[in-house]
Amino acid sequence: MYVNYETFEDADRHAHALSGWDQRYDQVGEGVFRSTVKQVSAGGVQVFQESANVRVVQRGQLPPGRATFGLALSGGAPFSFQGVKVDQSALIFSDGAEEFLLHTPPHMSLLGIAVDTDLLESLADVQGFDFPRDAHAQQVLSIPAAAGARVGRRIVEAVEAALARPLEHVGPDAERRFANTVTESILELLMFHVPDREDRLTHACRSEIVQRSHELVLSRPEQPVSVMDLCVALRVSRRTIQNSFQSVTQMNPVAYLRAVRLAQVRRLLIATSQQEVPVREAAMRWGFSNLGHFASDYKSHFGELPSQTLRAR
């Protein structure tokens, strides 16, 4: 995994810092240039979050062999990609090795994502997702602003976690989780451009999918199960997973699976003393590696902090 965070006072130095990209940046806005670049590359996926305080024109060639995406996080005005307006209700999607021209506004923040084409298509196939092969021809795809903001936050959180705790993201399993998080997020936005399939599953079939998902979580206590993991293990699409959970539990699968793990932690805390199993160890046993996030989720779910749960004597 490659992880890097830099600040710049020159637009060209900023452009050259992006690994694998052939491009140049021209500062066209007035003022002293200030920018940051945060990069993470792992498992066939590269993500960078860049920000700059003045207007810039970016031009060059996209990385070959990769599908490239752009998601605007903020800006003093809309972006412009290949002459098309880009705001938070739009997703840039281009094929590899294409020439590009991007105008970025002042006070901008942008997510750039490059995914190996084979990886993107294979993960889409695993999910039963009809990959829109001609979507990149449109270059700028319309998406719901709320969905774009949600996906943007999720990817930014993954990047920040890798920057803050790089040692926890070393190794093939950690790289795969990072790559899956990013790729699933992009596929979530592309799904708005795929026609709905008729879902003829009975309620009993959907209940079985939820039950088997629940059992999979219990069988892998130290490894949080992702939606992608469910798709692979149960051999069903992401949409089938989501529809099944919504129908049976009225919850999305991520929230449900997290709740299952939280319940196991609470059961363990109640059954043991602090001396036997400290809160941190109980959380780690069920895949909660960030104690701060765990405590917040626990309180939100049970109405008390884990330290306030009555322990065995």
Side-chain angles (χ1 to χ4, degrees):
M1 174 178 283
Y2 173 75
V3 180
N4 190 43
Y5 173 44
E6 294 183 82
T7 61
F8 300 95
E9 296 182 355
D10 179 80
D12 272 335
R13 289 188 59 223
H14 177 131
H16 294 155
L18 296 174
S19 177
W21 289 67
D22 178 14
Q23 60 184 350
R24 63 184 183 275
Y25 286 11
D26 294 324
Q27 177 183 338
V28 295
E30 295 181 347
V32 178
F33 184 84
R34 298 279 189 273
S35 71
T36 63
V37 175
K38 302 174 182 179
Q39 296 185 73
V40 179
S41 296
V45 172
Q46 178 190 21
V47 181
F48 64 85
Q49 181 186 354
E50 61 177 344
S51 63
N53 63 329
V54 298
R55 187 177 294 277
V56 171
V57 179
Q58 305 180 14
R59 62 178 68 230
Q61 190 173 52
L62 298 171
R66 293 186 164 191
T68 307
F69 303 89
L71 196 59
L73 301 177
S74 65
F79 296 67
S80 175
F81 182 78
Q82 310 293 59
V84 181
K85 184 176 76 171
V86 180
D87 54 23
Q88 288 184 298
S89 61
L91 174 71
I92 295 171
F93 178 19
S94 287
D95 215 4
E98 291 186 356
E99 297 286 333
F100 76 93
L101 177 64
L102 174 67
H103 288 260
T104 66
H107 311 296
M108 72 88 171
S109 180
L110 174 74
L111 272 177
I113 301 107
V115 183
D116 286 353
T117 303
D118 290 344
L119 172 64
L120 187 66
E121 292 184 356
S122 66
L123 292 181
D125 184 60
V126 164
Q127 297 188 38
F129 178 79
D130 294 327
F131 188 76
R133 294 177 179 274
D134 60 343
H136 66 82
Q138 301 177 49
Q139 297 184 319
V140 178
L141 305 177
S142 176
I143 57 173
R150 181 177 64 250
V151 164
R153 284 194 301 271
R154 188 184 308 149
I155 296 175
V156 166
E157 287 173 0
V159 169
E160 294 290 352
L163 288 169
R165 300 180 299 279
L167 294 180
E168 295 180 11
H169 291 76
V170 174
D173 287 343
E175 292 198 13
R176 178 183 59 82
R177 286 194 297 271
F178 178 86
N180 283 354
T181 295
V182 174
T183 306
E184 284 183 35
S185 299
I186 292 300
L187 289 175
E188 181 178 324
L189 296 181
L190 290 178
M191 287 179 75
F192 290 106
H193 292 268
V194 176
D196 287 338
R197 292 176 175 177
E198 186 177 3
D199 186 351
R200 298 179 178 178
L201 289 180
T202 65
H203 189 78
C205 289
R206 292 173 176 171
S207 295
E208 183 179 358
I209 287 172
V210 173
Q211 179 184 345
R212 291 176 64 191
S213 301
H214 193 125
E215 292 170 351
L216 186 61
V217 172
L218 298 182
S219 71
R220 293 171 46 177
E222 295 181 359
Q223 294 181 315
V225 176
S226 69
V227 175
M228 180 69 74
D229 292 330
L230 296 181
C231 293
V232 173
L234 305 183
R235 301 183 65 82
V236 296
S237 71
R238 180 191 183 97
R239 184 167 291 164
T240 297
I241 294 286
Q242 291 174 326
N243 288 345
S244 296
F245 274 86
Q246 189 60 44
S247 174
V248 176
T249 72
Q250 291 74 56
M251 297 173 66
N252 70 63
V254 174
Y256 180 90
L257 300 180
R258 182 174 59 244
V260 170
R261 290 190 294 127
L262 286 170
Q264 309 318 306
V265 176
R266 183 175 178 83
R267 181 173 291 114
L268 179 58
L269 291 177
I270 291 173
T272 61
S273 67
Q274 172 65 20
Q275 289 71 32
E276 290 177 286
V277 183
V279 169
R280 181 180 183 83
E281 181 181 339
M284 294 289 288
R285 285 190 189 182
W286 284 98
F288 294 100
S289 58
N290 186 305
L291 199 59
H293 289 168
F294 160 71
S296 176
D297 289 343
Y298 190 98
K299 183 176 181 180
S300 176
H301 197 72
F302 296 114
E304 64 182 15
L305 289 169
S307 58
Q308 297 172 321
T309 295
L310 187 62
R311 308 292 301 271
R313 296 183 180 275

